[in-house]
């Protein structure tokens, strides 16, 4: 399985970006995709996740600081998970990574995800 994250960029505070995580290779009808981010000098932290069971029915989870501003969604036909980020703040500046576990079990722990994409930089200026 390979993951490709895209959509990062530089925006001003209050702006929006949409990240995409495209998966290729062997996947599963039940899976969980997580978005994580890592700011300079900080640990990689959980941002959001989506859990899908048998291609249908999904649950979403968010870190408290992004609730109401970020939305995670999926497009099964495109094997892609999106992270819509609105009302961006300078504190959201980080490299964002998507990760996949071939299991319909949600986890906010990075060690529970086997497959990782390369990060995409998000920079929010004040």
């Amino acid at each position: 399985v390979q993951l490709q994250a895209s959509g990062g960029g530089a925006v001003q505070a209050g702006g929006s970006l949409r990240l995409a995580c495209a998966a290729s290779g062997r996947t599963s009808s039940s899976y969980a995709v997580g978005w994580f981010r890592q700011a300079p000098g900080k640990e990689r932290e959980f941002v959001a996740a989506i859990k899908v069971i048998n291609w249908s029915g999904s649950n979403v989870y968010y870190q408290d600081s992004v609730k109401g501003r970020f939305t995670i969604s999926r497009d099964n036909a495109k094997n892609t998970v999106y992270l819509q980020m609105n009302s961006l703040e300078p504190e959201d500046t980080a490299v964002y990574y998507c990760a996949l576990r071939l299991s319909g079990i949600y986890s906010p722990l990075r060690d529970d995800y086997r497959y990782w994409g390369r990060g995409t930089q998000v920079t929010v200026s004040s």
Side-chain angles (χ1 to χ4, degrees), residues 20-94:
C21 178
S24 61
R26 179 176 176 268
T27 56
S28 171
S29 61
S30 297
Y31 61 89
V33 171
W35 283 98
F36 293 77
R37 66 186 180 187
Q38 188 166 16
K42 294 189 176 181
E43 294 287 321
R44 190 171 299 186
E45 65 174 2
F46 169 77
V47 177
I50 186 165
K51 178 184 76 173
V52 177
I53 303 296
N54 294 327
W55 295 120
S56 65
S58 59
N59 295 94
V60 297
Y61 309 86
Y62 299 98
Q63 181 199 102
D64 285 346
S65 69
V66 307
K67 284 181 181 177
R69 300 189 298 122
F70 291 11
T71 303
I72 190 170
S73 62
R74 63 183 173 94
D75 185 331
N76 282 342
K78 296 182 178 180
N79 276 349
T80 300
V81 170
Y82 301 98
L83 184 68
Q84 178 67 44
M85 306 186 295
N86 298 328
S87 301
L88 282 162
E89 304 168 352
E91 292 74 23
D92 296 316
T93 295

